[in-house]
Amino acid sequence: MTALEDFNITKAEQSKLNEISLENIPFGKYFTDHMLEADYENGEWKTPRILPYQPLQLDPSLAALHYGQAIFEGIKAYKDAAGNPQIFRPYDNFRRFNISAERMQMPTVPEEIFMDGLRLLIDMERNWIPAHENHSLYIRPFMFSTDEAIGVRPSHKYKFLIILSPTGPYYATPMRIYVEEKYTRAVEGGYGFAKAAGNYGGSLLASAEANKKGYDQVLWMDAFEHKYVQECGTMNVFFIIGKTAITPGLESGTILDGVTRDSTIVLLKEMGYQVEERDLSIDEIMNAYKAGSLNEIFGTGTAATISLIKELKYKDYVMKFDVQKWNIAPEVKRRMDAIKYGLEQDTYGWLYKI
Ligand code: COI
């Protein structure tokens, strides 16, 4: 464990907390008083700093701005029933962050900086954790290359930061989803499994076109046939057909190994459902819908938690659902929330208490 003195800490003179209400907060708009920053140079990480949240000064030739060596994570902290901070499965995000780093030819971040830094920062910012239902403190660790040179090669220098944003629900209402056949998010051999900034930048055109057609997001399909499901917008996706929950598998490396995805699988199994991680085609989905056995569809993600999908459009065919009648996804969400907010026992050891 890193000692407090291993971090260089500068406290903000004044808190901004009295300027905002921690209720009904839009996602990602407000940031807490402090941030963590660490630089990688000459093959090693320098002393990490916790300092007042502030703009960065960057050279216009900064490598990340040109070639996109940039990765991030999304984690959430909650208040338990007694008001103490707890973070949901942060070690899983820490591990995934370093998997993303390796794929993007970036240095891994040591546990003493990522996890101990996170613990220190959350401890300092504990008053920023909202206590309301569907609210949390969103944690955004990220890293980017900082060489000041525009040659295409892995950078020698990097910056790692953690910023914190108190937040309300990401998708407030059930979603209408458009099955995407023109654009592709990820292909085998690519970096769909990495939480790399480019995966998100490259997705924006498809969501903008879906928005114009009146849809909230797209259902990403495989790159070769546009036939097999990958993800939904920025989320993993589950289909309940009969009594079986089906979600795309991780083997092809085209989807994110979601922490909420994994937690959902665990809870579904605990609730007695069979879970299959496998290829799922749009034909199988349509056939199940026509046969009346497609019961529920929902997305999972840290930001979005569990988001119900009330409509799915494939070519000219529209599948509609009465989400009021659903009970599986709402029960998964209820159980997961009960653990996160400390209302039910954390039998899986998912919580990291501060
Ligand atoms: C998350 O669920 O944390 C995400 O990364 C989604 C989005 C906010 C980028």
Side-chain angles (χ1 to χ4, degrees), residues 96-326:
R96 188 173 68 184
F97 189 80
N98 281 337
I99 290 172
S100 300
E102 279 168 8
R103 177 63 181 84
M104 302 307 283
Q105 283 281 285
M106 303 167 92
T108 54
V109 177
E111 188 174 333
E112 298 73 41
I113 294 180
F114 191 111
M115 286 304 305
D116 295 349
L118 181 55
R119 189 170 47 82
L120 282 175
L121 195 57
I122 294 291
D123 199 13
M124 280 173 76
E125 306 288 59
R126 54 172 63 225
N127 293 339
W128 283 88
I129 306 175
H132 306 281
E133 193 187 4
N134 291 322
H135 286 60
S136 58
L137 185 65
Y138 186 81
I139 301 165
R140 172 52 62 88
F142 61 108
M143 173 166 60
F144 56 92
S145 54
T146 55
D147 269 9
E148 288 135 9
I150 53 172
V152 183
R153 53 167 171 71
S155 182
H156 298 108
K157 294 193 296 172
Y158 295 85
K159 199 179 268 299
F160 170 70
L161 293 105
I162 304 179
I163 55 174
L164 308 174
S165 175
T167 189
Y170 193 73
Y171 294 114
T173 52
M175 292 179 297
R176 300 177 69 223
I177 299 296
Y178 184 85
V179 179
E180 181 57 59
E181 288 188 281
K182 183 170 158 195
Y183 302 111
T184 303
R185 177 185 173 277
V187 64
E188 283 176 44
Y191 57 96
F193 65 88
K195 214 156 172 63
N199 279 331
Y200 296 79
S203 75
L204 299 177
L205 178 59
S207 7
E209 290 190 9
N211 292 162
K212 273 193 211 142
K213 292 178 192 128
Y215 288 84
D216 297 300
Q217 259 302 349
V218 297
L219 186 66
W220 294 109
M221 309 302 282
D222 74 281
F224 301 111
E225 298 175 84
H226 287 110
K227 200 171 151 188
Y228 293 96
V229 174
Q230 288 184 342
E231 290 191 359
C232 179
T234 62
M235 300 180 294
N236 294 116
V237 63
F238 285 75
F239 293 76
I240 310 282
I241 299 182
K243 281 205 157 301
T244 303
I246 305 165
T247 192
L250 303 171
E251 311 74 40
S252 66
T254 55
I255 67 165
L256 202 71
D257 182 0
V259 177
T260 310
R261 173 188 181 277
D262 184 70
S263 311
T264 299
I265 292 174
V266 170
L267 293 179
L268 281 168
K269 287 183 180 165
E270 182 190 282
M271 287 158 59
Y273 293 95
Q274 191 178 331
V275 181
E276 294 177 2
E277 295 175 66
R278 62 161 171 89
D279 291 348
L280 176 64
S281 73
I282 190 68
D283 293 339
E284 184 178 345
I285 293 167
M286 291 221 301
N287 288 339
Y289 180 79
K290 287 175 188 164
S293 58
L294 178 52
N295 294 323
E296 300 186 19
I297 314 179
F298 57 96
T300 64
T302 297
T305 67
I306 308 268
S307 291
L308 309 185
I309 295 173
K310 67 174 180 187
E311 186 177 323
L312 188 62
K313 182 177 160 80
Y314 177 58
K315 297 188 191 290
D316 292 329
Y317 194 74
V318 178
M319 293 168 251
K320 287 195 180 190
F321 303 89
D322 181 1
V323 299
Q324 300 301 330
K325 295 195 175 132
W326 291 2

